[in-house]
Amino acid sequence: TTGLPVGWTWLHNGQVTTARILDLVLDGPIPAGMFTPDLTGYRETPTPEAQALLPVGSIGPDLPLVGSNGRPTTLSQFAAKQAKTILVFVNPADPTSVAHLRMAADFGRVNRVTVLPITPSNDTQSNQALFRSLGLRGAYAQGSAGSLAVEKYHAHVLPTAYVVDRTGVIRGCWVGFDREQAQAAIAA
């Protein structure tokens, strides 16, 4: 299978396609790690029930993460040590998603804010290489933990970004990465 979250839809030339239909179009199940779907020309859009991001001012769900040392941690443990943390939900196989992650990483370095990448992708080696190449060394979530995070944070359009404070309160959220919104959220 494509390994993409169930419930996502893609629009291509006005045609709606779901992850299940993509599996059929790609001729059935595909061994994990053997194929990264090329969704060039597709625009990811959420199903109607997944359109609303979590509200600013609410407490975001805690998430399991992997620290850069390889040890398990949680978002609440990690964020408690930071003034603000930017969560960026990405698809590493999508150049647009990676470009937004790169913008977030650059923003984080300039503004001294930690950026945590979160992805439903299971390709640990490629994910870690990407995160390291962008200087993201704090923690991350991927695979089933990343898929769980996507669901909990309603991040069905990738990329999506959230800013959380040390107590887990959401200070900003938006689809894509927007420097102005990020600046306002870290100032809140």
Side-chain angles (χ1 to χ4, degrees):
T1 64
T2 60
L4 298 168
V6 175
W8 284 20
T9 59
W10 285 267
L11 294 177
H12 185 259
N13 296 330
Q15 300 294 321
V16 175
T17 301
T18 66
R20 177 69 186 125
I21 292 171
L22 281 176
D23 287 343
L24 296 173
V25 169
L26 296 171
D27 201 22
I30 298 164
M34 296 296 291
F35 179 77
T36 302
D38 178 7
L39 298 177
T40 304
Y42 287 83
R43 181 173 53 86
E44 296 170 342
T45 59
T47 54
E49 63 271 18
Q51 288 183 355
L53 296 176
L54 298 178
V56 172
S58 66
I59 295 182
D62 202 7
L63 302 173
L65 301 172
V66 176
S68 57
N69 58 6
R71 294 188 191 137
T73 187
T74 63
L75 176 58
S76 60
Q77 292 169 335
F78 189 85
K81 301 172 190 170
Q82 321 293 322
K84 300 279 184 352
T85 303
I86 301 174
L87 310 176
V88 182
F89 296 82
V90 297
N91 173 1
D94 174 40
T96 300
S97 209
V98 171
H100 283 264
L101 181 58
R102 180 173 285 110
M103 285 190 296
D106 292 345
F107 178 89
R109 268 190 296 285
V110 169
N111 293 281
R112 298 174 197 227
V113 178
T114 301
V115 174
L116 299 181
I118 299 175
T119 177
S121 166
N122 282 316
D123 190 346
T124 302
Q125 189 173 7
S126 294
N127 292 343
Q128 289 178 348
L130 172 63
F131 303 157
R132 277 191 307 272
S133 76
L134 297 175
L136 301 173
R137 302 190 195 318
Y140 62 90
Q142 70 174 18
S144 59
S147 292
L148 176 66
V150 164
E151 293 301 319
K152 284 185 169 188
Y153 276 81
H154 303 196
H156 297 279
V157 176
L158 300 180
T160 293
Y162 279 86
V163 174
V164 296
D165 68 16
R166 72 179 70 235
T167 64
V169 174
I170 297 169
R171 297 298 175 187
C173 57
W174 54 91
V175 173
F177 184 77
D178 184 294
R179 285 185 174 98
E180 289 178 16
Q181 290 189 31
Q183 194 67 50
I186 65 169

